Amino acid sequence: MVTPSDVTSVSAAKSPGPAPAPGPDLPRVVPRRRIGRWVAAAAALLVFSMVLISVVRNEAFQWGVVGRYFTSAAVLDGLVLTLWLTGAVMVLGFLLGTVLAVMRLSDNPVLRTLSWGYVWIFRSTPLLVQLLFWFNIGALYPTLGLGIPYGPEFVTVTTVHLLGPTLTAVIGLTLHEAAYAAEVVRGGILSVDAGQTEAAQALGLPGHRTLRRIVVPQAMRSIVPTAGNMLIGTLKGTSIVSVLAVHDLLYSVQLIYNQTYQVIPLLMVATLWYVAVTSVLGAGQYYVERYYARGDSRALPPTPLQRLRGRLSVVRTRLRVPAAADVRPATGGDR
């Protein structure tokens, strides 16, 4: 016969209760030791330290000369021109590239064909060849006129001294950059779901406003990473204008070592400036990507400072665990 006390004992046994506290004699759980990972990290650090020491102690680099010319007036003037040239080419190139991308996505077959032909031509020819063509435009077209086609000309300009080295570099780099920027923008626009455009059309929004307010902001998530790489590539690619005697960073360094014959240290000056500027641009690209990722992910990726804080907190937690395990609670037998 089942009594009420039996039912109470069975229900008490089945009811969930707090887990028993671990005793002091239970083994502590430790993470698995990954010997291979530590060995690989030690080998990589050893190789890196060997390369770093060889560079620092190599007297051929002449670090004293590097420090003396690193902030010289000629080098800083060349750096300013390089930064100005990079900014102007990126802005003008992406403006023209956006127009070409819209033309490529247009329903007009003429606009699509012209945009495709432009991209095909400027992506198929080397940048140096394009710069040399623009630099020698006077040999191809001695004069340029504005007037009635096959009729009288109202304005005529001689092209022999029309384009200087700096203006030639801006035109050549911009036209070359626009061909790649058009494909970047076109790919970003195509990455946006077609339902976004259909919803805007259902609301009665005009095409230009749909493109500016709905499509382009969502396409920026795909455009920004590639555009950041293009920006860094353009910064380094501006060094090619030194063949046109444009006083950019590399050409300024070349002028100095042609007089002092200190080739290696002056090249290190240009290298360090390129590394410094590209590092700043890379950091800026990271935060711009993080900004445009707000509407795509629930949690934004952590910043480098947040990652550092997280790793420090993990290290502090690991240091506290062994100290807490060494403290044994007092039992009846210890009294």
Side-chain angles (χ1 to χ4, degrees), residues 232 235 271-286:
I232 295 175
L235 172 69
T271 301
L272 292 177
W273 271 120
Y274 280 121
V275 170
V277 176
T278 52
S279 300
V280 174
L281 294 179
Q285 176 187 349
Y286 171 81

Side-chain angles (χ1 to χ4, degrees), residues 180-334:
Y180 290 90
E183 293 299 291
V184 172
V185 175
R186 184 175 70 91
I189 293 175
L190 292 177
S191 67
V192 179
D193 186 24
Q196 302 290 323
T197 304
E198 295 174 357
Q201 293 174 351
L203 294 174
L205 295 179
H208 64 90
R209 190 174 182 183
T210 301
L211 181 66
R212 181 171 57 89
R213 300 297 297 272
I214 296 177
V215 176
V216 172
Q218 298 183 64
M220 290 299 291
R221 293 196 300 268
S222 301
I223 294 175
V224 168
T226 310
N229 293 332
M230 289 181 60
L231 175 61
I232 295 175
T234 303
L235 172 69
K236 298 182 295 184
T238 54
S239 60
I240 199 173
V241 301
S242 59
V243 300
L244 305 180
V246 177
H247 289 254
D248 68 321
L249 178 60
L250 181 60
Y251 189 76
S252 300
V253 166
Q254 290 175 340
L255 290 179
I256 297 175
Y257 72 62
N258 285 335
Q259 299 175 1
T260 62
Y261 301 101
Q262 296 170 327
V263 179
I264 299 299
L266 268 302
L267 289 179
M268 284 301 302
V269 170
T271 301
L272 292 177
W273 271 120
Y274 280 121
V275 170
V277 176
T278 52
S279 300
V280 174
L281 294 179
Q285 176 187 349
Y286 171 81
Y287 284 98
V288 173
E289 291 181 11
R290 191 172 184 270
Y291 174 80
Y292 283 104
R294 293 179 303 171
D296 185 55
S297 56
R298 295 180 180 271
L300 293 177
T303 62
L305 183 58
Q306 293 174 346
R307 293 177 183 175
L308 179 60
R309 291 176 178 174
R311 291 177 181 177
L312 291 178
S313 63
V314 170
V315 171
R316 283 195 295 264
T317 303
R318 290 181 178 178
L319 292 177
R320 290 172 184 172
V321 169
D326 293 339
V327 178
R328 302 297 183 181
T331 59
D334 297 335

Side-chain angles (χ1 to χ4, degrees), residues 11-18:
S11 61
K14 292 183 178 180
S15 61

Side-chain angles (χ1 to χ4, degrees), residues 30-36 38:
V30 296
R32 179 183 177 185
R33 300 180 184 274
R34 301 182 181 273
I35 305 299
W38 289 103

